[in-house]
């Protein structure tokens, strides 16, 4: 964890505005709070984590950091994984308090180290998909990290069955995120 500030400082110096954090610790390391405070123009997209062999854990009861930081920072999005049917993946950690949304996390096409196409599973690939969506939103001119977070959360596919698993009861919808012109939805 002591290397996080150094890595973030390096990345932001290179122009990174969105940083994917697919890592976990059970201790609330203060270095994350300091890093978020120093880089308010950076959006941190954080993996909720994969549970133990018995399945995903409710991180409201089993603390996982930095996944629990989305609630206290406008610049952190915590991502859980959904399966191919759009429901919480059996391995994904969850929380209606700390996990913001779900994204595809099963059989996600990726490249292995040697460049071979593989199918990846976990909250890390789900987090990569949300990081990509955030990058697309940013490329369309929405530059503030807190506004990108709001845009992504306002454009989810709402599913009331996810109300106990995510804060916004929804799944990432990239098309809606890049198509939404206002961050307010009128009904």
């Amino acid at each position: 964890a002591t290397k996080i500030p150094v890595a973030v400082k390096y990345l932001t110096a290179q122009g990174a505005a969105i940083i994917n954090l697919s890592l976990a610790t059970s201790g609330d390391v203060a270095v994350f709070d300091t890093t978020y405070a120093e880089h308010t123009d950076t959006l941190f997209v954080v993996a909720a984590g994969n549970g133990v062999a018995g399945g995903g854990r409710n991180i409201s009861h089993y603390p996982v950091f930095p996944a629990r930081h989305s609630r206290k920072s406008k610049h952190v999005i915590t991502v859980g994984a959904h399966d191919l049917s759009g429901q919480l993946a059996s391995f994904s950690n969850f929380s209606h308090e700390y996990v913001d949304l779900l994204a595809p996390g099963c059989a996600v096409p990726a490249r292995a180290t040697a460049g071979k196409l593989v199918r990846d599973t976990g909250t890390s690939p789900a987090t990569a998909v949300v990081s990509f969506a955030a990058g697309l939103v940013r490329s369309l001119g929405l530059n503030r990290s807190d506004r990108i977070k709001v845009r992504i959360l306002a454009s989810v596919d709402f599913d009331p069955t996810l109300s106990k698993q995510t804060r916004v009861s929804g799944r990432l919808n990239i098309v809606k995120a890049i198509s939404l012109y206002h961050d307010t939805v009128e009904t």
Side-chain angles (χ1 to χ4, degrees):
T2 59
K3 302 289 185 192
I4 295 293
V6 175
V8 170
K9 186 174 182 178
Y10 171 80
L11 291 169
T12 57
Q14 302 302 312
I18 299 161
I19 296 177
N20 181 323
L21 293 175
S22 290
L23 50 96
T25 180
S26 59
D28 189 4
V29 182
V31 73
F32 289 113
D33 292 328
T34 305
T35 301
Y36 303 146
E38 290 174 1
H39 299 279
T40 58
D41 53 343
T42 303
L43 180 65
F44 296 90
V45 185
V46 178
N50 303 321
V52 294
R57 291 181 161 193
N58 184 340
I59 64 172
S60 296
H61 306 296
Y62 298 94
V64 175
F65 297 95
R68 284 181 64 160
H69 289 157
S70 71
R71 186 168 158 189
K72 64 182 179 179
S73 176
K74 296 186 282 185
H75 311 286
V76 178
I77 297 177
T78 298
V79 182
H82 71 69
D83 61 20
L84 298 176
S85 68
Q87 295 304 303
L88 180 72
S90 62
F91 56 82
S92 179
N93 287 343
F94 60 93
S95 169
H96 72 281
E97 293 178 276
Y98 301 109
V99 176
D100 291 305
L101 75 161
L102 300 181
C106 293
V108 178
R111 294 279 175 191
T113 307
K116 182 181 176 187
L117 184 64
V118 296
R119 299 286 178 177
D120 200 4
T121 295
T123 58
S124 291
T127 302
V129 172
V130 174
S131 296
F132 172 72
L136 287 175
V137 170
R138 183 173 167 75
S139 75
L140 295 172
L142 194 59
N143 293 325
R144 287 184 36 200
S145 60
D146 59 336
R147 300 308 303 159
I148 294 170
K149 177 179 178 175
V150 168
R151 172 71 57 88
I152 287 173
L153 298 182
S155 62
V156 298
D157 285 335
F158 178 77
D159 183 344
T161 66
L162 300 176
S163 66
K164 293 185 178 173
Q165 295 146 348
T166 68
R167 287 180 60 203
V168 298
S169 303
R171 290 178 291 278
L172 174 69
N173 184 322
I174 294 176
V175 173
K176 282 170 50 177
I178 62 174
S179 301
L180 195 64
Y181 291 107
H182 302 286
D183 295 333
T184 329
V185 178
E186 294 181 34
T187 57

